[in-house]
Amino acid sequence: MSLRTALLLPLLAGLFAHAQAAQPQLRVQLPATATAPASGRLLVFAEPAASALEKAKGGPVITVDASPFGGQDASAAGMDITRLAPGQAVAMDTESLAWPRPFSQLPAGDYYVQAVLDTARDDNYAGRGPDDLLSAPVKMALGGDAGAATLVLDQRLPEAGDPWQLPERVPQALRAAAPAAKAATHAIDFTSPALSAFWGRPIHMRGWVVLPPGYAVDAGARYPVLYFTHGFGGSQRALVPTAISAYAGMRDGSLPPMIWVLLDESGPTGTHEFADSVNNGPWGQALTEELIPDLERRYRMDARAEGRFLNGHSSGGWATLWLQVRYPKVFGGTWSTAPDPSDFHDFTGVDLYADGANVYRRADGSAYPLVRDKGRVVASFEQFARLEEVVGPVGGQLASFEWVFSPRGADGRPMPLFDRGTGAVDPQVVAYWRDHYDIAHMIQSDWARLRPDLDGKLHVYVGTADTFYLDGAARRLKAVLDGVGAKSDFRFVPGRTHFDLYVEGDDRSALLKNIAWQMYAIARPGARRPAATAPAASR
């Protein structure tokens, strides 16, 4: 050993010991009173005490969480737990997989820290739920001289109540309409033969059918149908307020008399978006060849393309665009709002087809933004992706895209679009995405075949300040349609974001009412919207 090496070894050992000491000594324990071992994704969240107390507004801190939508005050670390026995404690790794940085690099100070064991591995999609095991938030010092604490998973969230019992924050008029709407709404629970064959077990398609007022009075009347599906994070339960609004609107005449079919597109991997996928299964086929024929046998629906219409927002917007383009003979038009990227030359601002494409960084090294609010960048693509990776590999928005769009890899899972460490895009995966799911590419390359059944059926609405930069892809889709000479209806609403697109004055569903009356005019030529229900600007 050289003299230089001998002198360096103590220094290196000291540095290593300091780094080890700087890591917080966090342990997570399943209480001895637990009735069974537990497993899942173990998450620990830390937030500066001042920030957590401010959010608590004078009350106790009951939740610590991290989100790119709410800034980066809170941090998160994740690891998998295969088996945690009652009374057993495990050392939490807060360094290997942490966001936005390892806990040892946090600024020194007091923090509130909380552990969550995501036993269903669905927190990336649905957030915390009654299946999760939680600890109480604990105040401790982190950074600098690292603290130590044991977080006991002795809490659960309450089970969800009746979805038809709306909370007090919901307007009284909507809560008052709930009983009548509930009586006119039927649950969908359809076992799909095609999806069940794909998965090798029964797969259910779920949602709601909302019948118009007077449906039971005239046994000979038939109705056009509005097929609606939600965006990322939605569920059958979350569709209940839409069912109530639809029924209440038809009852007061602000919506035309139609049958509303509210479709749940959520699943264990995120939103399946009713795409026919090698990973999720043939959801589009199951909808068009199985569920819709079953519904048309059970309810008095028009049962023709001119009476079947599509509407969805965000991921639901992409789903309805996809369904209209993929099955143009089935539907009479889609009104898709703020759809996820329909042209992968602009995947929330990133050109996936560019040489050396990278979703984290532009060629000049600047970060690609992903979330904005009133002109301010809230989160970059990289920040969003890294937090999703910490929370879990399945169910997040970006992973959900891969479960829908990607080819299946040798390990049986969808091939990732990009390297989570570097952001580098895989050209092989992008080529598959283009050939199977780039809607603009499909239209441009196959317009001669699509035109007789698709021309004039695409309606797209998006705000020019869309929160996720989705106006860019919509403009590209419009340019492709214009280039092939297609008739289409694109509306870019000045200043509107992803979350206020439907609002006009005090009416938060004004756009949906306008859309429904456009549909009704196609299904019932000559029908006119009552003047009293039209927007003030058009009266």
Side-chain angles (χ1 to χ4, degrees):
M1 179 186 298
S2 70
L3 176 62
R4 181 178 180 182
T5 302
L7 292 172
L8 280 174
L9 280 177
L11 175 61
L12 292 173
L15 289 173
F16 179 76
H18 176 76
Q20 289 291 97
Q23 296 181 21
Q25 304 301 304
L26 288 174
R27 296 177 66 79
V28 180
Q29 183 179 31
L30 190 64
T33 54
T35 58
S39 63
R41 186 74 158 193
L42 181 60
L43 305 168
V44 169
F45 300 91
E47 183 170 9
S51 172
L53 289 168
E54 181 181 356
K55 292 177 183 176
K57 298 180 179 179
V61 176
I62 58 175
T63 298
V64 184
D65 204 349
S67 167
F69 297 100
Q72 296 185 57
D73 288 338
S75 302
M79 59 185 279
D80 284 328
I81 296 293
T82 56
R83 187 180 188 277
L84 190 63
Q88 181 184 1
V90 62
M92 181 67 196
D93 181 357
T94 59
E95 305 299 300
S96 302
L97 197 59
W99 180 92
R101 63 185 65 86
F103 280 23
S104 62
Q105 298 176 18
L106 293 174
D110 288 336
Y111 290 75
Y112 277 93
V113 181
Q114 184 176 30
V116 177
L117 182 60
D118 176 15
T119 62
R121 298 180 182 272
D122 61 355
D123 280 20
N124 246 333
Y125 185 84
R128 298 177 188 177
D131 290 333
D132 293 338
L133 302 175
L134 300 89
S135 75
V138 172
K139 187 178 180 181
M140 62 180 293
L142 292 177
D145 294 330
T150 297
L151 307 173
V152 181
L153 299 169
D154 58 359
Q155 300 187 7
R156 284 186 183 270
L157 296 175
E159 293 287 341
D162 181 357
W164 293 89
Q165 295 295 322
L166 302 180
E168 290 296 322
R169 66 177 181 273
V170 175
Q172 172 59 28
L174 199 61
R175 286 188 283 122
K182 183 178 182 180
T185 301
H186 301 175
I188 298 172
D189 187 354
F190 176 80
T191 303
S192 162
L195 290 167
S196 299
F198 178 89
W199 284 101
R201 55 185 172 82
I203 299 295
H204 296 257
M205 305 180 77
R206 293 189 168 91
W208 306 100
V209 174
V210 185
L211 301 176
Y215 180 87
V217 175
D218 186 351
R222 306 190 77 82
Y223 297 88
V225 183
L226 192 162
Y227 289 91
F228 173 91
T229 190
H230 57 73
F232 185 85
S235 64
Q236 183 181 21
R237 179 186 182 87
L239 287 168
V240 166
T242 303
I244 298 171
S245 295
Y247 185 82
M250 289 189 288
R251 187 171 62 178
D252 67 22
S254 60
L255 287 169
M258 303 173 71
I259 294 175
W260 289 56
V261 177
L262 309 180
L263 298 167
D264 179 8
E265 63 165 330
S266 67
T269 65
T271 49
H272 55 69
E273 306 192 27
F274 290 99
D276 300 299
S277 163
V278 296
N279 301 301
N280 287 330
W283 280 93
Q285 174 191 340
L287 175 65
T288 57
E289 298 180 10
E290 296 175 350
L291 179 57
I292 288 178
D294 179 73
L295 294 174
E296 290 178 347
R297 285 190 292 268
R298 295 166 55 198
Y299 299 99
R300 298 196 308 274
M301 298 175 169
D302 278 359
R304 55 189 177 89
E306 294 77 9
R308 301 189 196 104
F309 304 105
L310 296 159
N311 170 241
H313 186 70
S314 195
S315 291
W318 189 93
T320 51
L321 264 180
W322 162 261
L323 286 168
Q324 186 63 71
V325 174
R326 176 66 178 83
Y327 300 98
K329 295 179 184 292
V330 175
F331 301 102
T334 184
W335 281 255
S336 303
T337 60
D340 285 344
S342 51
D343 184 324
F344 298 153
H345 285 96
D346 191 327
F347 191 76
T348 63
V350 182
D351 182 357
L352 297 182
Y353 301 127
D355 291 339
N358 188 297
V359 296
Y360 290 170
R361 301 283 169 180
R362 300 184 179 95
D364 64 5
S366 60
Y368 276 112
L370 182 64
V371 185
R372 62 181 170 180
D373 181 47
K374 299 179 178 62
R376 178 179 65 90
V377 174
V378 175
S380 70
F381 202 118
E382 182 175 8
Q383 290 165 345
F384 197 95
R386 289 190 181 278
L387 178 56
E388 181 178 299
E389 184 184 24
V390 168
V391 177
V394 178
Q397 176 67 84
L398 301 176
S400 178
F401 284 136
E402 292 166 338
W403 275 87
V404 176
F405 299 150
S406 288
R408 184 180 295 176
D411 61 356
R413 300 170 63 85
M415 294 177 65
L417 169 68
F418 63 96
D419 184 290
R420 288 332 194 243
T422 66
V425 171
D426 185 335
Q428 177 186 353
V429 175
V430 170
Y432 186 92
W433 281 34
R434 177 198 63 216
D435 293 344
H436 294 84
Y437 301 106
D438 186 319
I439 293 173
H441 176 75
M442 293 168 62
I443 290 171
Q444 191 167 42
S445 60
D446 203 16
W447 182 243
R449 181 185 65 84
L450 292 170
R451 181 171 190 161
D453 301 305
L454 186 60
D455 203 20
K457 291 184 176 181
L458 300 182
H459 309 259
V460 176
Y461 296 74
V462 62
T464 61
D466 184 83
T467 309
F468 304 101
Y469 299 85
L470 296 172
D471 49 315
R475 292 186 189 279
R476 284 186 170 270
L477 177 61
K478 181 181 185 301
V480 167
L481 287 161
D482 291 347
V484 298
K487 296 190 292 288
S488 64
D489 176 24
F490 279 71
R491 305 189 191 187
F492 298 91
V493 186
R496 292 302 170 88
T497 72
H498 203 69
F499 302 108
D500 62 4
L501 184 61
Y502 280 62
V503 179
E504 186 174 315
D506 295 332
D507 189 348
R508 298 197 59 81
S509 60
L511 177 57
L512 184 57
K513 293 171 183 174
N514 294 338
I515 286 171
W517 281 105
Q518 291 178 51
M519 296 173 176
Y520 197 68
I522 294 172
R524 301 291 184 270
R528 292 185 176 276
R529 181 176 186 175
T533 71
S538 62
R539 291 177 191 168

